[in-house]
Amino acid sequence: KNQVEQSPQSLIILEGKNCTLQCNYTVSPFSNLRWYKQDTGRGPVSLTIMTFSENTKSNGRYTATLDADTKQSSLHITASQLSDSASYICVVSARDAGNNRKLIWGLGTSLAVNP
Amino acid sequence: DSGVTQTPKHLITATGQRVTLRCSPRSGDLSVYWYQQSLDQGLQFLIQYYNGEERAKGNILERFSAQQFPDLHSELNLSSLELGDSALYFCASSTRQVEDTQYFGPGTRLTVL
């Protein structure tokens, strides 16, 4: 069964600290993996997209890694800011039994950055 | 601003009623997606339309329906509303494929009393 699992479920860190969020997936065949940031009450915004051949991709203070062999991805946030407080969602693209593309959404990690 | 607009922003109604949520995609985007997000829950994919045709269905109830019009705007119709339908409903659009970056609207917060 295609699944995306994220950990931890929630995380609290102090402003200025780094953190790493995890995403494990059991999706096959794999097409790409995205990380979205969702501020409370607002729509998600895409941070990064990674295909099978990419290991690392950065977007400012956000760095995503992908290990397609172990089916794991991580999102590293450097020098956190209060505005980083949000839910971070991992989304994996796959194909269903009818060879149609579909997205598998994780439940997200809720990050709180405290002053 | 993602370029995706949704109306209304808030909607309060009673059980058993019917409501319509509206979405206008980004200029040039052909795909529209609808999602439901209940309080403190993950996003639940409901349905996707591509250039006026239904492309994919997720966990959409039979009481819910949607359509995409020739001008590419979309409407989500929710009928026989129940308390449990209270949620944020997001519309997103993308250029073509489901793997393309999806741009989300601000959402419609539905409260069923």
Side-chain angles (χ1 to χ4, degrees), chain A residues 48-96:
Chain A
T48 65
I49 177 173
M50 303 184 72
T51 59
F52 185 88
S53 59
E54 295 175 300
N55 299 119
T56 303
K57 184 165 282 189
S58 293
N59 177 0
R61 295 180 297 102
Y62 301 103
T63 298
T65 65
L66 175 65
D67 186 333
D69 291 331
T70 62
K71 298 187 177 182
Q72 295 180 325
S73 176
S74 65
L75 181 68
H76 186 75
I77 304 175
T78 304
S80 61
Q81 301 177 357
L82 298 179
S83 59
D84 292 330
S85 296
S87 179
Y88 292 85
I89 308 170
C90 175
V91 187
V92 180
S93 175
R95 289 186 182 268
D96 62 17

Side-chain angles (χ1 to χ4, degrees), chain B residues 63-90:
Chain B
R63 300 184 285 109
F64 296 179
S65 65
Q67 54 183 328
Q68 185 179 28
F69 295 88
D71 66 352
L72 300 178
H73 90 272
S74 178
E75 292 182 354
L76 178 67
N77 299 297
L78 315 175
S79 62
S80 303
L81 285 168
E82 302 175 358
L83 297 177
D85 297 328
S86 295
L88 259 174
Y89 290 84
F90 288 106

Side-chain angles (χ1 to χ4, degrees), chain A residues 29 31-32 92-104, chain B residues 33 45 48 55-57 96-100:
Chain A
S31 180
N32 64 44
V92 180
S93 175
R95 289 186 182 268
D96 62 17
N99 204 36
N100 299 307
R101 293 188 182 97
K102 62 183 298 184
L103 298 180
I104 314 296
Chain B
Y33 312 80
F45 168 66
Q48 176 201 357
R55 177 60 63 92
K57 247 182 180 177
R96 291 177 59 240
Q97 305 287 2
V98 69
E99 294 162 326
D100 297 333

Side-chain angles (χ1 to χ4, degrees), chain A residues 3-46:
Chain A
Q3 282 187 316
V4 174
E5 295 184 352
Q6 294 187 240
S7 62
Q9 187 175 3
S10 61
L11 183 61
I12 302 173
I13 62 173
L14 292 176
E15 185 179 12
K17 298 296 186 182
N18 304 334
C19 67
T20 300
L21 315 180
Q22 299 290 344
C23 173
N24 296 337
Y25 60 93
T26 55
V27 170
S28 183
F30 171 86
S31 180
N32 64 44
L33 183 149
R34 285 182 188 274
W35 284 93
Y36 278 87
K37 177 187 178 188
Q38 184 179 21
D39 293 320
T40 301
R42 306 190 71 172
V45 175
S46 179

